[in-house]
Every structure is written in C-alpha cells, then in structure tokens.
Amino acid sequence: MAGRIRDIKTVGERFGIRVKEFYPLAELTTVRIGGQARFFALVEEETALRKLLKELLKREVRYFIIGNGSKVLFSENIFPGLVIKLGKGFSYIAPLKEDETSLEVGGATPLGKIVQYCLEKGLTGTEFLFGIPGTVGGAIVNNAGAFGSSFSEILQRVRIVTDDGEVAEKEKEKIHFGYRESQINPPFGSFFYRKKINGVVTAAIIKLKKGEKNFIKKKIEDFTTYRQSTQPKGLSFGCCFKNPPGFSAGQLIDMAGLKGFRIGGAHIAKKHANFFLNDGSATFSDFYQLIELVKFYVERSSGLILEEEVRIVY
C-alpha cells in the first residue's frame, strides 16, 4: 500500500482536489484530539468524489469520511490513508417542486441550518435536531437524534457515492436503521457490519409537515433551554455512550460513582455524566482509558454493557 499511497496528492490534483499531507486531525473534531492524517482532502463536487473513491479502491488506500467530527476520537498515530471532508458544494437546502414539504439537503449541510430554514418556511419535524453539532451525512450514518426522535423518521431517500465510484439512490425502506447507527458505514462489531453499505452520503430527501411558525419556534426554544440546563459546555463528543434499552447511560455512570472522575486532561462532567470533557490538555490515551474505565465500572455496578456512540479511529 505504501507505494500506492505516495502519489495520492498528485491523483487528487488530477481530479481538481487539493490534497494536504500530514493534516492535524484534532482540528476536525469537537473534542480536539488526534494525530495527523497522512492525507486530507476537501472535496467540493460529486464527479471529483466519484473519481477519487474509485482510485482509492483500486489502490487499496483506506479512507475516512468526516463531517463535523462530533462523534470521532482519533488516535495520536498517523492515520494511514486519506481523510475526506465534503465542502460547500455539498452544503445546500432545496425544496422539491412537486412537494413543498420535502427538501433535498446536501450531505455537508449543518443540522442547525436545516432547522432554521424550516422555521422560516413553516415546516415542522426537524426541531429535535437543533443543538446537535453535526451534518446531514453524519446524522444519517449515525441515525442522530434527541428527545425521542431520530433522523431516520424524517428521511425519505439517500444519495450515496459508493466505494467503486458509482452513485446509488436508496429509499429509506431499503436501508436498515438502528439506535444511533445504520447500515451505512457501520463500525466493526455493529449488528449491521456484515451487510454494510460502504460509501459517502452526498445528499438526502427529507419529508416534513406544514406547521405554525410560533409553535415551531417554541419547540426549538424549549429544546434549547433543556440542553442548556442539562448539558455542560466545553470540548466534548456530546453524549459518549448510547442509552441501553430502558436506561440512561448518564444515570448509570452516575450510579457507578464516576461523575466528575478524571484521567489526565479528560474528565466526566458533573452536570451530565455521559459528557466527557477535554480541559485542553487531554490526550487520546486519557479519553480511551476513561471510556474503558466507565464501561468496566458500569458493567460491574449494573450488569449492563455500555456501547459507544463515538467512533474510535486508529
């Protein structure tokens, strides 16, 4: 692979993509942890992305697609491949002519931008997404959600550029979704891993309903007030662990006596035990050890095994 990866920069430039070498990964994540990517590319349009993925497959070069980086923990090693981020060309919101309550949204579109757009247009159904620091692509892959709702509930169709450079349009019914995961790019060990769909989400169609603007605004304000009163500020993943069926991960961590626990520069928030914070000095090892320690003590105290929402990338 070493010989095949050296000229990835040249390959990218051939497709109009600027590729950077030894890019600092900490800059790409909300927790600000990570080493370097051997290569990093900001891709602005689909044709270039298709050509790039096809070339990576041929050369057997590993890639990792990143959105806003809110659910990623990179190790401090050099990622031995290409990290890809979709640029502004994939960030857009467009109403469908045939259905005024359906929107096409680009894979790099921030979730907060969609909520604000829907408020202005009097469309309801996205309010629960306000405050989630992610993009459409990440929200689909991870089936992001809050307040009892998930992204898959408003999803109609997904556009994916597959690893072989082809475009696949998939109806929601053809994609399996679970709690905070999906069949698209699932992590190793996931229930969906054997039937995974590999590729990059470039766009989606979401289905909403007409709503009264004041009602929509009130829901957003209520959700925001709740987040501010229960969630700490600082460098974090958001929630680190999935909630086991019938339980709150934060409460289980609290019951294990771990609220406020610290390893190096990483600590468990006192305000919400499912938030792990970087005080500015934390390392990958600090966070990794804290995650593993929490899983051990929660299982010992409750018998339940916590599963990360966060993807750990080596």
Side-chain angles (χ1 to χ4, degrees):
M1 173 180 149
R4 296 183 176 188
I5 193 175
R6 288 196 193 105
D7 61 347
I8 286 298
K9 186 173 183 179
T10 302
V11 169
E13 290 172 351
R14 192 167 77 233
F15 302 145
I17 302 169
R18 185 182 177 189
V19 178
K20 298 181 180 181
E21 297 187 72
F22 300 106
Y23 193 88
L25 291 169
E27 294 183 4
L28 301 176
T29 70
T30 58
V31 78
R32 296 295 186 264
I33 296 291
Q36 295 178 316
R38 180 64 182 84
F39 292 102
F40 168 76
L42 183 68
V43 183
E44 293 290 355
E45 54 94 19
E46 190 174 86
T47 299
L49 178 64
R50 293 176 64 185
K51 292 177 180 179
L52 180 62
L53 292 188
K54 190 173 183 178
E55 195 68 28
L56 294 178
L57 181 64
K58 183 173 74 174
R59 293 166 179 266
E60 299 180 324
V61 173
R62 181 183 173 195
Y63 79 88
F64 184 84
I65 185 76
I66 191 164
N68 201 45
S70 60
K71 295 294 181 182
V72 183
L73 176 63
F74 284 112
S75 80
E76 292 175 338
N77 301 323
I78 293 177
F79 178 80
L82 176 68
V83 172
I84 300 171
K85 186 176 179 68
L86 300 184
K88 293 181 180 178
F90 294 95
S91 179
Y92 62 87
I93 303 170
L96 299 190
K97 292 181 181 179
E98 65 273 19
D99 182 1
E100 60 182 8
T101 60
S102 292
L103 303 174
E104 179 179 335
V105 290
T109 310
L111 299 179
K113 185 176 179 180
I114 296 174
V115 179
Q116 290 288 2
Y117 177 93
C118 290
L119 172 60
E120 293 169 7
K121 301 298 181 180
L123 297 173
T124 183
T126 65
E127 295 89 343
F128 71 96
L129 296 171
F130 195 76
I132 298 178
T135 58
V136 167
I140 292 172
V141 168
N142 298 315
N143 198 15
F147 306 108
S149 297
S150 297
F151 197 90
S152 59
E153 295 170 23
I154 60 172
L155 185 65
Q156 278 194 322
R157 188 164 68 251
V158 180
R159 184 177 177 89
I160 301 169
V161 175
T162 60
D163 285 0
D164 57 2
E166 299 299 317
V167 174
E169 296 270 359
K170 292 187 176 290
E171 300 295 324
K172 179 177 73 172
E173 291 73 21
K174 300 294 183 180
I175 303 172
H176 296 296
F177 287 91
Y179 174 60
R180 301 297 176 264
E181 64 177 341
S182 76
Q183 195 180 359
I184 305 171
N185 301 333
F188 181 77
S190 165
F191 174 77
F192 301 118
Y193 191 77
R194 289 189 177 183
K195 295 183 178 181
K196 60 183 176 179
I197 300 170
N198 285 338
V200 180
V201 174
T202 59
I205 304 296
I206 58 175
K207 176 67 174 177
L208 308 168
K209 296 178 180 179
K210 280 288 187 181
E212 207 279 318
K213 287 186 180 181
N214 287 334
F215 176 75
I216 296 170
K217 184 179 180 182
K218 180 65 165 56
K219 285 182 70 176
I220 294 171
E221 290 174 347
D222 288 347
F223 289 156
T224 300
T225 299
Y226 181 81
R227 287 184 186 279
Q228 291 175 343
S229 66
T230 60
Q231 298 178 1
K233 295 181 179 180
L235 303 177
S236 78
F237 308 112
C239 286
C240 183
F241 292 103
K242 299 177 183 179
N243 291 324
F247 294 89
S248 160
Q251 289 178 349
L252 292 172
I253 297 168
D254 191 9
M255 289 166 58
L258 296 172
K259 187 176 281 188
F261 191 84
R262 172 184 292 271
I263 294 181
H267 66 279
I268 299 171
K270 293 181 179 179
K271 196 170 187 179
H272 192 314
N274 202 14
F275 277 64
F276 297 1
L277 301 176
N278 177 4
D279 69 5
S281 68
T283 64
F284 168 79
S285 179
D286 294 340
F287 269 92
Y288 184 80
Q289 289 183 64
L290 190 59
I291 288 170
E292 291 300 311
L293 179 141
V294 166
K295 288 162 68 175
F296 174 80
Y297 280 105
V298 167
E299 183 179 6
R300 193 171 79 168
S301 66
S302 68
L304 296 170
I305 300 174
L306 291 180
E307 182 182 352
E308 304 95 68
E309 285 190 34
V310 175
R311 298 198 182 209
I312 301 175
V313 183
Y314 300 94

